[in-house]
Amino acid sequence: MEAQTLATNLEQREITVRVKRFNEDKGEFWSEYKLSVDRFTQITEVLRRIKTEQDPTLAYRASCHMAVCGSCSMKINGEPRLACKTLALDVVKKFNTDVITLEPMDYFKPLKDLIVDMGDFYTRMFKVKPRLYPAEEVVKGVAEQRLKPEDQRELWKFAQCIWCGLCVSACPAVKEDERFLGPAAHAKGYRFLADPRDTLYEERLKILLDSSWRCTYCYQCFHVCPRDVEPVTTIKKTRAHTKFSKEKTDVMSTGERHVKAIYESIKETGILQEAKVYISTYGLATAITDMLHTMRNGKMKYALIREKKVNEIEQIRKLLGD
Amino acid sequence: MDKLHYDAVVLGGGLAGLMAAHEIATAGFKVAVVSKVFPTRSHSSSAEGGIAAYVPGNSDPNDDPDYMTYDTVKGGDYLVDQDAAELLSVKSGEIVDLMERWGTLFNRQPDGRVALRYFGGQTYPRTRFVGDKTGMALLHTLFERVSGLDVDFYNEWFAVDLVTDERRVTGVLALDMKNMDPAFFKARAVVAATGGMGMLYAHTTNAYINTGDGYGMALRAGAAIKDPEFVQFHPTALYPSDILISEAARGEGGILRNNKGERFMAKYAPKKLDLAPRDIASRSIMIEIREGRGFPGGYVGLDLTHLGESYIKERLALAYEAAMNFAGVDATKEPIPVRPAQHYYMGGIDVDTNGINTDLQGLFAAGEAACVSVHGANRLGSNSLLETLVFGRETGKTVVEYLRKHEEVSSPSLDKEAERLLSEAYSFVKSESGVHFGEVLNKLRGVMWDKVGIFRDEDMLKSALTEIEKLRGQVREMYVTDKGKTYNTEFYNALELRNMLDLAVVIAKSALMRTESRGAHFRTDFPERDDKNWLKHTLAYLKGNQVEIGFKPVRMTKWKPEARVY
């Protein structure tokens, strides 16, 4: 019975692929291709067939076709994805259209069609010293490193970054704040910061901590990562090391005040009193300036919403560990 | 043309190339790694199951390097150079230790030591692994390590040809893919670590980038390819993406079924059934498809449904995920669509255990690009990752010794030679009419799959040779429609195709010559192994359009050939 399903349900159909292209001579332009796909056809295969059968000039990157090399990052119907990890008909069904749109990733500069300049991404990765610095005795081979199975599992989750760049392309903080290292570099940095075999703890704190407070927790990286690395989780975990840092930059101190204010607000009232948290975090002077700005934009009403009181405050305090 | 001076140039940024570069750089020599992709995109990243190693103090108490060597020799159907296999076994523990020290997150035993598991063809369990992404984990560790050394990376540079002067390699001609700027990398030593050639076949588990560039370059420069006829086909690649579904799926009880729902392996291997060796299983699947019992598109089903959902998800996680992500098939509910696909190339640039090629002074090779020969006629699982690192390192050390002894030779004719090679390559872009690479490429992949594939016989191979020669003729008329300079991937695809065709003719000719069946080379007209006439390596050269074939004895130490029964 199962075998019959495979035989009859190829779901062959014609699709239209629109590709946003770019080259120095023509600038930006669109090309359209029609081809027949079935339920098994990956977007990398769509591209390979277009290139070998219809238009040899189409340029894109692709290598492993199994989501481990991170070459084929692009936007597919607006979503940042790996082309190999995307089936053509899944896109057709999800968007209820026979038209698939392929565009280069956001943020990075397009160089030719779907190929973008990844230089900025690599620079970010190398900034975090992405390699283990083991103890001298280990390097000489006179001591053996051991690692608890649970540590291995935790670190391996974050070490699976394939340098595809999708998270950086989707990150709003990277665009606004040049001192933010970006999600992938943080995942990489934390993977070594938390590795008990590494000896560079102090230096890694200096590289990572300030930047970690520049993330907005929007969770775009969490959603787009094709390997479920959860860069934002590594940023949270990195922030937890702030207390071990001797020097604190402005964003780090602000961040710590913010965390403390939230904690106190919840402990006291059971709810997040945004206005109060704001004042505690940024101080009265900044809060007033920002309030004027808020009023000018007609958003003051949101600051004045009265929150309902929480009844079982003791339960919440218990959860907070008091 | 720009001239860049290095002591050594490594072609390829996968495991073998990076390990060689590491050795050369740490000895204080100036080394460049030239790779057509950013190193972590190399095909080493696709290796799944693990790396075999005998680690003293952390292995099965009954195991020893001799068992490991024996497994490799028998697995390779006795075409293995036994001294090479011994070296591979002896160095295996060191290599795993080294990679651990550099940070590879190997799975652990409860006491914190590196864990191990069984793999096909092993007398005792000795495979070390990082989940099911061992290659990716090792490649990232090594790249991260080497990126911290004084090594110049030329990423997304396309190596066109070796520059030679009277049987001596003097450097490499390469193009920056970003702007098509050529450069002559002058160097005393060149290490080819360019990986495999799966794209020669219509169906392959290999990355799109595996186009056999190193083989083509070596052949054109006058070096031999050893054992070119030995191409490994894996029976269960996912349809149609050809992603590998590990042998573990059948090990755990998976059943191959045709379009009638029949367990067809009962016909071909009544005792071993679905656990028959790779070559037999591949051949059986192909017969079913050819005789009309496959599914439209050409595949059979790998049925796991009877194993139950929890068992599948626990024991066969990767098979389950791959089927789900890449074929949209829920393996707990319906059979996984599979077909055999090219998987590995046992043949390669002829080198000894030091990575030295004797045809061209200054040429070295390592990894899948090389034939040491450690895999013989058929490679064992978990031996490829091991080979890249062990022989990548041995080769790097050899290069260091070589550099200490050999001065640079300079002659004005070198530049001219580089210019000549460049204008040869440019001719494709300069042409205004002819054929597109895609047309020829798709034909070649079909011919190789149909006629130089899992089953071979004299008629098929002769017809393949005729067709390949015709395609080689067409390629001289190839033209590139894209005239742009920035990432003109059409141009590089055309150059890749030239490499592929130079290798294809060599494979077909060698397969035609070898009138026996051994390991992955199966001749329906000569179905038996013939040790009397064929226990020897093939050495193939390309002289213009002619393939010249020679032979070389297999190096034996302790193990006499016996019947290969499992």
Side-chain angles (χ1 to χ4, degrees):
Chain A
M1 277 304 285
E2 290 88 355
Q4 286 302 314
T5 335
L6 268 186
T8 51
N9 271 355
L10 276 175
E11 299 175 40
Q12 202 115 23
R13 69 196 283 176
E14 177 116 335
I15 58 162
T16 302
V17 181
R18 297 184 69 236
V19 185
K20 187 181 186 179
R21 306 184 60 183
F22 173 83
N23 68 42
E24 302 110 324
D25 294 339
K26 293 170 82 174
E28 194 181 300
F29 63 104
W30 289 80
S31 293
E32 222 173 87
Y33 310 94
K34 285 193 184 340
L35 74 163
S36 173
V37 297
D38 62 36
R39 61 184 273 213
F40 301 129
T41 312
Q42 298 165 282
I43 298 292
T44 34
E45 197 56 16
V46 165
L47 286 164
R48 189 191 67 79
R49 280 178 45 204
I50 291 172
K51 189 160 178 78
T52 59
E53 293 164 12
Q54 298 188 28
D55 182 358
T57 67
L58 180 65
Y60 62 94
R61 291 187 179 105
S63 176
C64 75
H65 62 72
M66 53 186 284
V68 294
C69 82
S71 300
C72 59
S73 309
M74 58 188 69
K75 275 202 305 183
I76 303 173
N77 280 23
E79 294 182 15
R81 300 185 63 97
L82 291 182
C84 70
K85 214 185 168 184
T86 307
L87 298 175
L89 287 193
D90 284 353
V91 180
V92 166
K93 285 173 198 161
K94 183 172 178 183
F95 292 89
N96 195 25
T97 166
D98 281 338
V99 182
I100 295 180
T101 306
L102 305 178
E103 297 167 82
M105 272 193 284
D106 283 340
Y107 179 72
F108 302 108
K109 185 176 166 241
L111 296 173
K112 169 83 173 277
D113 300 344
L114 299 169
I115 297 178
V116 297
D117 186 351
M118 294 285 284
D120 169 87
F121 178 85
Y122 298 135
T123 307
R124 289 169 185 279
M125 297 304 272
F126 290 122
K127 271 185 190 162
V128 301
K129 299 207 163 195
R131 60 192 71 86
L132 190 76
Y133 290 84
E136 217 21 57
E137 308 83 64
V138 169
V139 176
K140 284 181 188 148
V142 295
E144 176 196 10
Q145 291 174 144
R146 293 201 178 185
L147 194 58
K148 290 184 202 146
E150 56 269 31
D151 286 345
Q152 187 272 342
R153 268 194 294 276
E154 158 105 358
L155 293 174
W156 176 234
K157 175 171 180 58
F158 304 129
Q160 291 190 51
C161 171
I162 52 175
W163 300 44
C164 70
L166 285 172
C167 60
V168 171
S169 82
C171 175
V174 156
K175 295 184 187 85
E176 298 297 326
D177 187 346
E178 61 178 23
R179 284 153 80 188
F180 178 48
L181 289 163
H186 267 289
K188 183 58 78 183
Y190 178 76
R191 171 254 171 282
F192 290 109
L193 180 76
D195 194 321
R197 303 170 298 175
D198 192 67
T199 58
L200 229 58
Y201 184 73
E202 297 290 328
E203 192 175 342
R204 292 195 191 282
L205 285 185
K206 269 191 202 136
I207 296 169
L208 296 170
L209 274 181
D210 176 84
S211 168
S212 75
W213 289 99
R214 295 171 186 275
C215 162
T216 64
Y217 279 0
C218 75
Y219 273 69
Q220 280 297 325
C221 58
F222 183 97
H223 292 297
V224 303
C225 177
R227 291 239 67 90
D228 296 326
V229 170
E230 298 184 19
V232 65
T233 306
T234 66
I235 291 174
K236 285 185 193 172
K237 286 171 177 274
T238 300
R239 285 186 185 179
H241 288 257
T242 306
K243 55 181 178 285
F244 303 117
S245 174
K246 283 165 205 142
E247 300 153 41
K248 288 189 184 152
T249 61
D250 283 352
V251 280
M252 284 161 71
S253 306
T254 310
E256 282 195 310
R257 281 199 304 276
H258 187 65
V259 170
K260 194 163 166 259
I262 290 173
Y263 176 83
E264 276 166 3
S265 166
I266 290 175
K267 190 174 142 191
E268 214 171 290
T269 63
I271 56 170
L272 200 57
Q273 299 165 293
E274 289 282 8
K276 208 171 161 190
V277 166
Y278 205 88
I279 293 168
S280 313
T281 306
Y282 294 102
L284 197 59
T286 312
I288 288 168
T289 325
D290 286 357
M291 204 166 69
L292 292 173
H293 190 70
T294 310
M295 282 170 79
R296 256 203 304 280
N297 289 288
K299 289 182 175 172
M300 201 54 203
K301 56 187 181 200
Y302 299 111
L304 299 172
I305 293 171
R306 277 186 181 265
E307 310 277 357
K308 270 195 200 136
K309 252 186 121 175
V310 173
N311 295 325
E312 293 164 341
I313 185 78
E314 286 311 317
Q315 291 255 10
I316 289 174
R317 287 185 184 147
K318 219 184 221 167
L319 286 172
L320 285 172
D322 279 3
Chain B
M1 184 177 357
D2 269 0
K3 272 196 285 276
L4 301 161
H5 290 263
Y6 284 94
D7 294 317
V9 172
V10 175
L11 301 178
L15 285 172
L18 292 175
M19 198 51 132
H22 178 275
E23 293 306 306
I24 299 166
T26 48
F29 289 103
K30 210 175 158 217
V31 56
V33 174
V34 176
S35 170
K36 65 178 177 178
V37 292
F38 186 79
T40 58
R41 326 282 183 215
S42 305
H43 187 58
S44 302
S45 67
S46 301
E48 296 175 8
I51 174 166
Y54 172 77
V55 181
N58 188 17
S59 288
D60 188 288
N62 296 309
D63 202 7
D64 77 49
D66 265 4
Y67 280 116
M68 188 168 167
T69 308
Y70 171 73
D71 289 344
T72 301
V73 168
K74 181 179 166 189
D77 218 349
Y78 296 91
L79 197 68
V80 172
D81 278 349
Q82 296 181 5
D83 57 340
E86 282 171 358
L87 186 71
L88 187 75
S89 307
V90 168
K91 300 271 178 181
S92 61
E94 259 174 67
I95 279 291
V96 165
D97 279 348
L98 187 67
M99 294 309 290
E100 198 287 330
R101 287 204 292 277
W102 289 352
T104 303
L105 290 162
F106 286 107
N107 279 54
R108 301 287 160 158
Q109 303 174 33
D111 66 2
R113 292 182 305 158
V114 173
L116 63 170
R117 71 179 171 205
Y118 260 121
F119 232 70
Q122 295 177 351
T123 308
Y124 297 103
R126 50 179 94 90
T127 292
R128 324 283 156 160
F129 56 98
V130 186
D132 47 30
K133 300 277 182 290
T134 314
M136 183 185 121
L138 292 169
L139 181 62
H140 279 261
T141 303
L142 188 55
F143 173 64
E144 287 162 3
R145 183 86 195 166
V146 178
S147 72
L149 301 176
D150 190 12
V151 172
D152 289 349
F153 281 94
Y154 291 83
N155 300 326
E156 297 188 328
W157 277 68
F158 192 96
V160 179
D161 262 312
L162 300 173
V163 181
T164 55
D165 174 37
E166 294 181 358
R167 314 216 58 73
R168 181 200 302 266
V169 174
T170 54
V172 175
L173 167 68
L175 297 167
D176 185 348
M177 294 168 76
K178 204 172 195 167
N179 49 28
M180 222 193 265
D181 284 351
F184 176 20
F185 288 76
K186 291 182 100 168
R188 283 174 283 161
V190 174
V191 180
T194 43
M197 56 61 150
M199 286 304 283
L200 259 76
Y201 285 83
H203 302 303
T204 175
T205 61
N206 284 190
Y208 292 123
I209 58 171
N210 285 21
T211 52
D213 300 332
Y215 311 123
M217 281 186 263
L219 282 167
R220 283 194 297 278
I225 299 297
K226 185 161 66 191
D227 296 336
E229 61 272 39
F230 293 96
V231 180
Q232 185 171 71
F233 298 90
H234 197 288
T236 58
L238 188 66
Y239 171 87
S241 44
D242 293 321
I243 289 163
L244 185 67
I245 300 290
S246 169
E247 219 159 76
R250 282 170 297 132
E252 298 281 0
I255 294 170
L256 291 164
R257 294 191 191 279
N258 61 21
N259 68 7
K260 295 177 176 156
E262 293 165 343
R263 183 178 201 173
F264 58 84
M265 285 308 294
K267 218 171 9 176
Y268 305 97
K271 280 186 188 154
K272 285 263 182 184
L273 293 165
D274 300 277
L275 278 173
R278 278 181 187 180
D279 48 348
I280 295 175
S282 290
R283 289 193 279 272
S284 308
I285 293 169
M286 289 313 288
I287 291 172
E288 291 296 304
I289 294 170
R290 276 187 195 172
E291 294 182 355
R293 290 186 297 277
F295 294 95
Y299 58 88
V300 298
L302 175 59
D303 188 0
L304 309 179
T305 54
H306 57 288
L307 300 175
E309 186 175 335
S310 59
Y311 191 83
I312 293 170
K313 285 185 178 168
E314 189 203 331
R315 304 294 289 267
L316 298 169
L318 179 66
Y320 173 78
E321 281 164 31
M324 187 61 96
N325 289 336
F326 297 109
V329 167
D330 182 347
T332 66
K333 296 201 174 77
E334 61 175 322
I336 302 175
V338 295
R339 67 178 166 204
Q342 189 280 352
H343 183 55
Y344 187 81
Y345 193 40
M346 276 76 72
I349 299 168
D350 176 35
V351 294
D352 62 16
T353 51
N354 299 307
I356 298 172
N357 172 274
T358 48
D359 298 312
L360 295 174
Q361 194 186 331
L363 177 63
F364 304 82
E368 194 170 344
C371 179
V372 174
S373 142
V374 84
H375 307 304
N378 175 61
R379 178 179 67 77
L380 276 195
S382 343
N383 267 0
S384 62
L385 285 179
L386 181 62
E387 184 207 2
T388 60
L389 294 172
V390 167
F391 289 102
R393 190 170 66 151
E394 294 305 308
T395 304
K397 286 178 175 165
T398 309
V399 168
V400 169
E401 280 171 44
Y402 178 86
L403 291 173
R404 283 181 182 141
K405 284 182 205 143
H406 293 81
E407 292 298 313
E408 188 179 344
V409 234
S410 75
S411 86
S413 64
L414 287 182
D415 297 354
K416 269 193 201 140
E417 176 62 3
E419 294 287 352
R420 185 187 68 79
L421 293 166
L422 181 64
S423 72
E424 223 174 79
Y426 274 164
S427 67
F428 298 132
V429 205
K430 285 181 182 152
S431 302
E432 288 299 333
S433 67
V435 290
H436 293 157
F437 83 92
E439 228 177 296
V440 183
L441 173 65
N442 287 341
K443 272 188 206 151
L444 172 69
R445 298 181 71 198
V447 170
M448 292 301 285
W449 179 251
D450 291 336
K451 297 177 177 170
V452 199
I454 297 166
F455 291 109
R456 303 164 174 184
D457 68 26
E458 188 179 323
D459 289 346
M460 282 159 75
L461 291 168
K462 279 187 171 161
S463 138
L465 266 175
T466 312
E467 290 187 49
I468 294 165
E469 270 155 20
K470 209 171 94 197
L471 294 177
R472 282 169 62 80
Q474 283 182 10
V475 156
R476 276 188 287 272
E477 309 293 309
M478 190 160 49
Y479 89 116
V480 171
T481 52
D482 189 348
K483 305 296 179 195
K485 287 193 173 261
T486 310
Y487 284 100
N488 185 340
T489 53
E490 182 186 1
F491 175 46
Y492 304 108
N493 288 155
L495 292 174
E496 287 171 346
L497 180 60
R498 182 172 66 157
N499 292 330
M500 290 160 90
L501 278 161
D502 283 344
L503 179 63
V505 66
V506 163
I507 295 176
K509 186 72 192 265
S510 310
L512 179 64
M513 294 287 284
R514 187 175 283 269
T515 49
E516 66 154 355
S517 290
R518 182 185 296 271
H521 172 69
F522 192 88
R523 289 279 301 254
T524 50
D525 45 355
F526 298 93
E528 302 298 324
R529 194 174 82 190
D530 176 3
D531 287 334
K532 199 168 145 242
N533 296 302
W534 287 105
L535 186 53
K536 57 187 177 189
H537 296 296
T538 305
L539 283 183
Y541 294 90
L542 191 61
K543 302 266 164 77
N545 261 330
Q546 291 302 309
V547 179
E548 285 178 13
I549 301 237
F551 300 99
K552 154 171 169 176
V554 174
R555 290 197 300 273
M556 310 268 203
T557 56
K558 293 182 195 164
W559 292 277
K560 297 276 165 285
E562 53 186 46
R564 185 166 160 256
V565 187
Y566 285 101

